[in-house]
Amino acid sequence: MKTVQVLQGAFIMEPGKKEAIEKAARRLFGEKGYHDTSLRDISRQAGVSVSSISYYFGNKEELYHTLFPKEEKEKAPDKKEQIENAAIRLFALKGYSDVSIRDIGKEAGVNSAAISYYFGGKKELYAAILERGSALLVDFVEMAADGTRKPMEIMELYSRFFFRLMKEHPYILRIFSWEMIHPTDVFASIGKERFAMVLVVLRAALTEGMEEGIFRHNLKPTEVCISWAGMVAYYYLMSEIKKRFAVKEEISEASYMDQAFDVLMNGIKEK
């Protein structure tokens, strides 16, 4: 009891701490949104510890409700979604092996029991995330295999699909990248088959294009579609280079995407 009183006194004696947390949280929620703001982000912005936020507000959801009570029903996710979004961020940044249930609970502002209740364990949670991510690949396969598209249109569709994936689901894309380098058993049972479906579609488009004289006749379809898909991935990931290295030239997303596809299909060598 005495220890608790001392700790409480330590928090109360520092004036302005609660206000600093509220100010930082309001700013970050406004700039990044609820999903992409963690308690760690808020603590750094406010210059306080995560435990200070827990002392005053409990968890991220309660802090959000305190600041935006009228928007509670519209914007605050349920606890299951909260856990999943926190896990996606951590798996994307650190990889599957280096993330623990405790890490996820801390990031999501929940206890480990809540994660076990909704998902069972880390493996099951990761499987749910891979299922969510690989479902996006099915969207591409269904669009490409509808029987109405020509070979070049399918290749461009994949290129644009990947660009959209990078813009709308960057963390999912990072998780896929981790899996390419450090594959897990979970991915083998969920994502591997769907990635194979994508390659089957690209290979069929490439083969058809070769037969129609659109693509070079001496290509090896399997090897080419694998290497081409890889080039698409890294070409678009490199679009972030202008932010990291302060490239001053203004480059629109549409222009970059058009140029990327042109170079991927035609190279830079003068014919």
Side-chain angles (χ1 to χ4, degrees):
M1 183 68 182
K2 187 175 181 180
T3 302
V4 173
Q5 290 174 341
V6 170
L7 289 172
Q8 289 178 337
F11 283 114
I12 294 170
M13 285 176 65
E14 295 187 40
K17 182 176 285 189
K18 183 178 180 182
E19 290 76 10
I21 294 170
E22 290 179 343
K23 182 178 179 181
R26 193 180 295 276
R27 177 180 176 182
L28 289 171
F29 284 140
E31 292 178 352
K32 300 172 64 177
Y34 181 89
H35 298 319
D36 292 331
T37 299
S38 67
L39 288 182
R40 191 174 301 164
D41 294 333
I42 297 169
S43 70
R44 288 172 181 167
Q45 183 77 25
V48 302
S49 64
V50 173
S51 59
S52 296
I53 301 175
S54 299
Y55 172 79
Y56 286 112
F57 298 99
N59 56 40
K60 187 174 82 167
E61 185 176 358
E62 291 174 10
L63 171 56
Y64 186 89
H65 292 172
T66 300
L67 297 175
F68 308 103
K70 294 182 180 179
E71 301 178 30
E72 175 178 339
K73 292 183 179 179
E74 296 178 7
K75 292 190 176 181
D78 59 29
K79 190 164 289 188
K80 183 178 180 181
E81 183 184 1
Q82 190 175 323
I83 293 168
E84 193 168 337
N85 288 330
I88 287 174
R89 287 194 298 273
L90 289 177
F91 287 138
L93 297 174
K94 301 171 68 176
Y96 178 76
S97 300
D98 291 334
V99 175
S100 67
I101 286 291
R102 183 175 297 178
D103 293 333
I104 297 168
K106 187 175 181 180
E107 182 78 8
V110 302
N111 57 38
S112 299
I115 300 174
S116 299
Y117 174 78
Y118 287 110
F119 295 97
K122 187 176 90 165
K123 184 175 182 179
E124 291 79 7
L125 172 54
Y126 191 64
I129 291 169
L130 288 180
E131 182 67 37
R132 173 175 165 180
S134 59
L136 299 170
L137 302 177
V138 176
D139 292 342
F140 161 74
V141 171
E142 290 178 348
M143 287 188 291
D146 65 1
T148 65
R149 301 178 191 276
K150 297 179 180 179
M152 184 66 83
E153 291 175 333
I154 292 175
M155 305 302 276
E156 184 172 4
L157 177 67
Y158 177 77
S159 178
R160 292 183 180 277
F161 162 79
F162 201 95
F163 190 79
R164 180 171 64 84
L165 186 64
M166 184 192 74
K167 296 294 294 181
E168 297 177 6
H169 306 281
Y171 288 130
I172 292 291
L173 198 55
R174 284 195 183 191
I175 290 173
F176 285 162
S177 297
W178 273 106
E179 285 292 345
M180 296 300 104
I181 302 170
H182 304 289
T184 63
D185 293 339
V186 185
F187 179 78
S189 64
I190 296 175
K192 189 175 180 180
E193 181 179 345
R194 291 178 177 176
F195 266 92
M197 290 167 58
V198 171
L199 293 178
V200 167
V201 169
L202 292 177
R203 187 184 188 283
L206 188 63
T207 301
E208 183 180 344
M210 290 167 61
E211 293 171 351
E212 294 178 0
I214 299 171
F215 304 133
R216 285 166 33 202
H217 70 280
N218 61 342
L219 298 175
K220 295 182 178 180
T222 300
E223 289 89 333
V224 170
C225 74
I226 292 173
S227 60
W228 188 83
M231 286 190 287
V232 169
Y234 283 100
Y235 204 106
Y236 288 132
L237 288 173
M238 285 297 287
S239 68
E240 294 297 305
I241 198 169
K242 61 180 182 293
K243 297 178 183 178
R244 295 180 181 275
F245 293 94
V247 176
K248 294 182 179 180
E249 182 183 354
E250 188 65 30
I251 305 173
S252 71
E253 290 181 3
S255 174
Y256 183 86
M257 186 165 63
D258 290 342
Q259 285 293 303
F261 183 72
D262 181 45
V263 171
L264 285 164
M265 296 306 298
N266 303 309
I268 59 175
K269 186 177 179 180
E270 186 69 57
K271 302 298 182 184

